[in-house]
Amino acid sequence: MKTMSRLEAILWNIALPGFSQLLLGKYIKGILFVLLEFVINVNSQFNLAIIYSFLGEIERAESVVNYEWLMFYPCVYMFAMWDAYRIVMPPDERFSFLPFVFAAYFITVGLMYSSRFTLFKQNLGPVFLPMAFLPLGLAVGWIIKYFLIVKSSRE
């Protein structure tokens, strides 16, 4: 079985959820994540929304995306990343899930508000607003992780 750094595990799953699991020999999980990503992506028409968003056609991206399917994407995506990270993380690391969980929450909230939220009179749409919420979720998760580790080390 291949060994992998935590960063490599994250980066392969950013490319496509399940890739790290496949590289690490976790074939059932890897195939499941790839299939889930494919099913959600196709049913939500996310790739088309990405194309329109990058072309600056935000309204068109909003009109093609199926939000009911796309709402599953952040949780599956972030869980697949956390799972790969968990496989390769040091055994004594604690609360590693928190940045991933809060990132999934914040991305989902960003998706829910994507058709209503504007920044400098510009609608960021179903691709860019959730992406903008990602660092906020990661930061909240890291802060909570830090305080839990500090609190537990004092006990």
Side-chain angles (χ1 to χ4, degrees):
M1 179 166 49
K2 181 183 181 339
T3 59
M4 177 180 298
S5 72
R6 290 176 285 183
L7 178 61
E8 185 180 1
I10 295 289
L11 292 176
W12 276 116
N13 266 356
I14 287 173
L16 186 73
F19 272 10
S20 294
Q21 287 81 355
L22 292 172
L23 287 169
L24 290 165
K26 309 292 184 187
Y27 300 114
I28 293 172
K29 279 199 284 187
I31 290 168
L32 178 65
F33 286 135
V34 170
L35 288 174
L36 281 171
E37 198 279 340
F38 179 78
V39 168
I40 294 167
N41 195 304
V42 168
N43 285 300
S44 68
Q45 298 193 59
F46 191 41
N47 281 350
L48 199 52
I50 291 171
I51 291 168
Y52 290 142
S53 294
F54 275 86
L55 293 174
E57 300 176 26
I58 301 299
E59 295 81 18
R60 202 164 174 195
E62 290 175 336
S63 71
V64 299
V65 76
N66 181 326
Y67 286 91
E68 290 178 5
W69 273 99
L70 192 54
M71 293 287 289
F72 291 109
Y73 200 79
C75 291
V76 169
Y77 197 80
M78 296 309 295
F79 181 77
M81 274 196 266
W82 172 77
D83 181 70
Y85 183 90
R86 184 186 56 80
I87 294 168
V88 299
M89 74 181 193
D92 61 337
E93 186 172 333
R94 297 178 312 166
F95 308 115
S96 65
F97 60 92
L98 288 169
F100 298 96
V101 168
F102 280 93
Y105 292 159
F106 275 68
I107 293 167
T108 302
V109 169
L111 180 60
M112 289 188 290
Y113 283 99
S114 64
S115 64
R116 298 175 185 242
F117 185 87
T118 58
L119 185 64
F120 304 113
K121 298 183 182 180
Q122 178 64 44
N123 182 350
L124 298 179
V127 174
F128 295 126
L129 188 64
M131 286 170 58
F133 275 50
L134 170 67
L136 296 171
L138 290 172
V140 168
W142 279 321
I143 290 167
I144 293 171
K145 176 182 173 181
Y146 171 78
F147 283 114
L148 286 174
I149 289 171
V150 168
K151 182 181 182 246
S152 65
S153 69
R154 290 181 184 165
E155 295 173 351

